[in-house]
Amino acid sequence: MLNCRDVAHEASDYLDQNLSWWRRLLFRLHLFVCAKCRKFVAHVHITRDFLRRRGPLRASDQEIEQVMQNVKPSAPDQS
Amino acid sequence: MTDSIDSIDQERLRQQDHQAFEALVSQLHRPMVSVARAIVGDSLAEEVVQEAWVSAYRNLPKFEGRSSVKTWLFTIVSNEAKSRLRKEKRLVALEDFNPEGSGDYLGPDRFYRFGGHWKVPPPDWHLDSPDQLLEEKHLQKCIDHTVSILPPQQRAVFILRDIEQQALAEICNILEVTESYVRVLLHRARMKLMQVIDRYQETGEC
């Protein structure tokens, strides 16, 4: 049987489906009897989905310009 | 919503079209800096990424599309960083091989020593869906700040997996680490960010 500490440390692996079937079964059994861990895993789930949906941070105009300037010497003449 | 990588025309990229290339830079420059930082550290990362972009631009006509553009670029920056590391004969980012735990978030004070039950249980959240969290502008700033101060390898793994949706096996290749280590780093990064959300839910501040 897993304890709450185990569940907290393996919550990402559970949600990302990286646990073995046996470990997953033990995990689910623990969740069945433990409301605190159910809440914790729900929070990890919300956090993961929230972070994924925020999307990437875009480069600033300055960063883009710097890359384009470095690239230009090797760029073909587009005129 | 702005264009995704998938919407950038690969044929235009192969022809080194500046507009298409700029769109690529806009979306992938910062993730590439994170990858470089995880391998060569802060001081060389920016330079390595600039070299990677030049190399990618030169090689665009040869891009065959056997992997996604993203994976191709992450591999280029990773190779560039590893090659720089060999030249510099330095071992950087070693701090991450003994990474901080999940912060104190899941530290020993959180659980009873015997039995491993919660001593400090998870708090209630009044914002309890991704949609509600996405509406909180101040929280977004707190998250951006926390991502920026994650240890380099944690940050790179978090960005590659949760933001850029790269497969675990790809991340292992890019960063030359094992899959179990990637999973540990990812969980630690998420825990640090979850700690920010916990605090925000409780106080409205970072």
Side-chain angles (χ1 to χ4, degrees):
Chain A
M1 189 73 178
L2 303 183
N3 63 33
C4 301
R5 183 168 38 217
D6 300 327
V7 165
H9 285 286
E10 293 179 28
S12 283
D13 279 340
Y14 172 73
L15 292 169
D16 296 344
Q17 309 211 344
N18 288 325
L19 292 181
S20 67
W21 72 269
W22 175 245
R23 198 78 182 162
R24 189 168 179 81
L25 180 68
L26 293 176
F27 199 101
R28 292 181 92 141
L29 279 174
H30 183 92
L31 289 188
F32 187 68
V33 298
C34 180
K36 289 172 185 169
C37 282
R38 280 201 298 278
K39 189 198 282 182
F40 179 81
V41 171
H43 287 180
V44 180
H45 198 169
I46 294 164
T47 301
R48 186 193 67 172
D49 289 358
F50 158 64
L51 295 168
R52 285 184 173 179
R53 284 175 50 186
R54 290 176 74 236
L57 268 180
R58 303 298 164 127
S60 66
D61 290 345
Q62 268 183 326
E63 286 169 322
I64 296 172
E65 200 183 313
Q66 195 186 352
V67 172
M68 296 312 287
Q69 275 186 354
N70 284 334
V71 159
K72 263 179 198 162
S74 65
D77 186 2
Q78 296 201 335
S79 60
Chain B
M1 197 79 178
T2 40
D3 291 348
S4 73
I5 300 280
D6 298 334
S7 69
I8 303 174
D9 185 345
Q10 289 200 0
E11 200 41 53
R12 282 174 61 201
L13 279 174
R14 268 188 217 103
Q15 291 163 6
Q16 297 175 311
D17 176 278
H18 267 209
Q19 218 177 348
F21 190 71
E22 259 189 43
L24 205 59
V25 174
S26 161
Q27 292 180 57
L28 289 180
H29 181 74
R30 290 195 178 178
M32 282 172 64
V33 171
S34 296
V35 169
R37 276 192 182 137
I39 300 170
V40 293
D42 278 351
S43 57
L44 294 173
E46 190 61 44
E47 206 180 313
V48 161
V49 173
Q50 294 296 337
E51 284 163 12
W53 278 121
V54 171
S55 163
Y57 187 85
R58 281 194 193 126
N59 287 295
L60 273 172
K62 290 186 249 168
F63 175 65
E64 292 172 352
R66 277 184 288 189
S67 61
S68 69
V69 179
K70 256 189 212 181
T71 305
W72 182 68
L73 282 165
F74 288 141
T75 306
I76 289 175
V77 75
S78 157
N79 289 340
E80 201 74 53
K82 287 169 199 162
S83 138
R84 173 57 80 90
L85 202 59
R86 281 192 294 272
K87 274 187 215 158
E88 300 280 328
K89 293 186 179 160
R90 290 169 38 171
L91 276 176
V92 195
L94 275 180
E95 71 268 24
D96 279 326
F97 288 99
N98 182 19
E100 301 163 38
S102 310
D104 291 319
Y105 192 65
L106 295 180
D109 293 346
R110 197 78 197 263
F111 301 94
Y112 289 106
R113 193 167 165 203
F114 299 103
H117 296 294
W118 292 100
K119 196 193 284 181
V120 182
D124 288 324
W125 281 7
H126 60 282
L127 304 165
D128 62 356
S129 75
D131 286 329
Q132 285 177 307
L133 294 176
L134 283 164
E135 282 171 20
E136 300 296 313
K137 300 293 170 220
H138 186 56
L139 174 63
Q140 308 275 359
K141 282 186 189 163
C142 301
I143 293 288
D144 288 341
H145 172 70
T146 308
V147 170
S148 75
I149 59 171
L150 287 175
Q153 280 195 324
Q154 262 185 44
R155 184 172 53 221
V157 165
F158 166 72
I159 288 173
L160 288 171
R161 183 73 193 126
D162 274 353
I163 311 294
E164 300 299 337
Q165 314 270 307
Q166 294 290 293
L168 284 180
E170 295 291 355
I171 299 172
C172 297
N173 286 336
I174 291 166
L175 299 178
E176 275 190 348
V177 290
T178 63
E179 186 176 314
S180 55
Y181 191 61
V182 167
R183 283 159 41 197
V184 167
L185 290 174
L186 181 63
H187 189 57
R188 287 175 181 177
R190 285 179 184 163
M191 290 302 99
K192 284 188 187 150
L193 296 166
M194 195 162 122
Q195 190 172 16
V196 173
I197 299 173
D198 261 2
R199 203 176 307 130
Y200 185 82
Q201 300 255 6
E202 201 180 338
T203 65
E205 298 293 329
C206 295

